């Protein structure tokens, strides 16, 4: 019989290796899975929901049609904030720390997330996703403050994303490799489908918004010119693939190899993507898969956030490709 390993079972077995584990972490993950199944259902209904009533309006059933990113935010808060394992949450959609309700015991974990990344693509049927990072509150019990979240990615205890595509898939790491689970809609469970994912050391894909070419520094332009050159020996030119939905671009490159970069440019001097709930979680995953992530020079996981919505340039993917990017930064002073 084929092995049918559910996410919950996999996590429980992983936690057994840590005798100090209290079960809080497993509950947190079970709830992440539940929240993402609810979001997936809603994302799937997006097209028809629009026909039945445009966003911001009331549909034929008299229900208010919510924007999907708002729905995802509320769903994750609703499910996770009552679990008793969190001290606080932070999200792309909220200015400050999301407080755990007063009547719920405070746990030790901090949860930072982008509820629905790439949501501007939903109306054209492009895959979107939820990205999350989990840290431990360093000192004291009780409610988390913004200060508690100012920890580098290297302190993360887990990170993951859920991609809502032709199927829903949850990919995560706790520092013991990267594992992917595909939702089996017939039983409503995430099933282990990609065990111990490794990214090829060198890829053949580059992903960037090349429309910004003229806003980029010389180093980045030279790098792009380089990967477009014809050279069989080093596998060039690379193929360009850019969806504009980070989870989708990242997921493809993780499985196939390649490099994604969203550098600083004339309009985004600090880059566009956010450290806490986009760059750091994906960097933890990529390193666990054998890849690398930098801001062009520094390792992303070493950067200490200065605010909840700290932005950073992001260069992420196959190790050798990220190194080559760094060499161009070094050479041309990008
Ligand atoms: P968002 O969090 O507002 O959705 O923005 C993040 C998205 C990423 O999914 C994607 O990688 C990037 O923005 C695309 O930006 P651009 O349109 O500038 O290429
Ligand atoms: Mg985002």
């Amino acid at each position: 019989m084929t092995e049918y390993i559910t996410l919950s079972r996999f996590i429980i077995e992983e936690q057994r290796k840590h005798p100090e584990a209290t079960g809080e972490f497993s509950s947190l993950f079970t709830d992440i899975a539940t929240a993402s199944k609810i979001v997936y259902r809603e994302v799937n209904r997006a097209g028809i929901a629009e026909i039945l009533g445009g966003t911001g309006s009331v549909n034929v059933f008299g229900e208010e049609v919510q924007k999907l990113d708002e729905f995802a935010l509320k769903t994750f808060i609703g499910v996770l904030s009552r679990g008793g394992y969190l001290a606080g949450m932070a999200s792309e959609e909220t200015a400050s720390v999301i407080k755990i309700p007063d009547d719920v015991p405070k746990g030790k974990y901090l949860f930072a997330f982008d509820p629905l990344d790439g949501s501007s693509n939903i109306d054209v049927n492009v895959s979107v996703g939820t990205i999350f990072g989990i840290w431990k509150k360093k000192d004291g019990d009780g409610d988390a403050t913004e200060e508690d979240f100012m920890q580098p990615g290297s302190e993360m205890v887990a990170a993951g994303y859920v991609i809502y595509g032709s199927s829903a898939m949850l990919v995560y790491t706790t520092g013991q490799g990267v594992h992917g689970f595909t939702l089996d809609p017939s039983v409503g469970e995430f099933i282990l489908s990609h065990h111990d994912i490794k990214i090829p050391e060198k890829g053949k894909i580059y992903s960037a918004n090349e429309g910004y070419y003229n806003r980029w520094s010389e180093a980045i332009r030279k790098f792009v010119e380089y990967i477009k050159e014809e050279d069989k020996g080093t596998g060039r030119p690379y193929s360009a693939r850019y969806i504009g939905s980070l989870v989708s671009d990242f997921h493809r490159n993780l499985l196939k190899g390649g490099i994604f970069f969203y550098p600083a440019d004339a309009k985004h001097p600090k880059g566009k993507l956010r450290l806490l709930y986009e760059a750091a979680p994906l960097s933890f995953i990529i390193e666990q898969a054998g890849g690398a992530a930098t801001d062009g020079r520094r390792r992303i996981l070493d950067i200490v956030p200065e605010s909840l919505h700290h932005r950073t340039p992001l260069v992420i993917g196959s190790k050798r490709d990220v190194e080559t990017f760094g060499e161009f930064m070094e050479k041309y002073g990008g």
Side-chain angles (χ1 to χ4, degrees), residues 117-158:
D117 184 72
S119 51
S120 61
N121 291 299
I122 285 187
D123 51 351
V124 287
N125 273 357
V126 162
S127 303
V128 291
T130 302
I131 310 172
F132 60 89
I134 302 167
W135 283 261
K136 267 187 193 157
K137 183 165 153 38
K138 280 274 150 64
D139 31 47
D141 298 330
D143 284 314
T145 61
E146 177 157 346
E147 192 49 39
D148 290 315
F149 280 90
M150 301 301 104
Q151 299 185 45
S154 54
E155 297 288 319
M156 243 181 286
V157 293

Side-chain angles (χ1 to χ4, degrees), residues 36 38 42 97 104 112 135 142 194 199 222 251 259 295 308 324:
S36 52
I38 298 171
E42 210 63 16
V97 172
V104 176
W135 283 261
H194 297 63
I199 183 169
K222 291 274 195 224
H251 186 66
I259 181 167
D295 67 354
L308 288 182
T324 307

Side-chain angles (χ1 to χ4, degrees), residues 111-230:
F111 188 79
F113 68 120
D114 183 350
L116 207 60
D117 184 72
S119 51
S120 61
N121 291 299
I122 285 187
D123 51 351
V124 287
N125 273 357
V126 162
S127 303
V128 291
T130 302
I131 310 172
F132 60 89
I134 302 167
W135 283 261
K136 267 187 193 157
K137 183 165 153 38
K138 280 274 150 64
D139 31 47
D141 298 330
D143 284 314
T145 61
E146 177 157 346
E147 192 49 39
D148 290 315
F149 280 90
M150 301 301 104
Q151 299 185 45
S154 54
E155 297 288 319
M156 243 181 286
V157 293
Y161 62 87
V162 188
I163 180 165
Y164 310 110
S166 47
S167 56
M169 204 175 151
L170 189 151
V171 177
Y172 84 97
T173 185
T174 55
Q176 319 278 323
V178 179
H179 310 293
F181 297 78
T182 304
L183 183 66
D184 179 342
S186 64
V187 289
E189 291 273 9
F190 280 104
I191 307 300
L192 182 63
S193 53
H194 297 63
H195 186 251
D196 202 13
I197 300 171
K198 293 290 175 210
I199 183 169
E201 205 179 317
K202 184 177 167 319
K204 280 214 49 99
I205 289 173
Y206 77 101
S207 315
N209 189 337
E210 219 172 324
Y212 302 152
Y213 185 89
N214 287 315
R215 295 179 183 163
W216 288 342
S217 67
E218 191 193 1
I220 298 159
R221 287 191 234 167
K222 291 274 195 224
F223 174 75
V224 169
E225 280 159 32
Y226 168 82
I227 49 183
K228 288 175 169 181
E229 279 164 14
E230 195 76 45

Side-chain angles (χ1 to χ4, degrees), residues 92-93 114-119 129 131 246 273-274 277-278:
E92 169 156 0
E93 308 288 338
D114 183 350
L116 207 60
D117 184 72
S119 51
I131 310 172
L246 179 60
L273 301 171
R274 321 294 182 116
Y277 40 79
E278 291 176 327

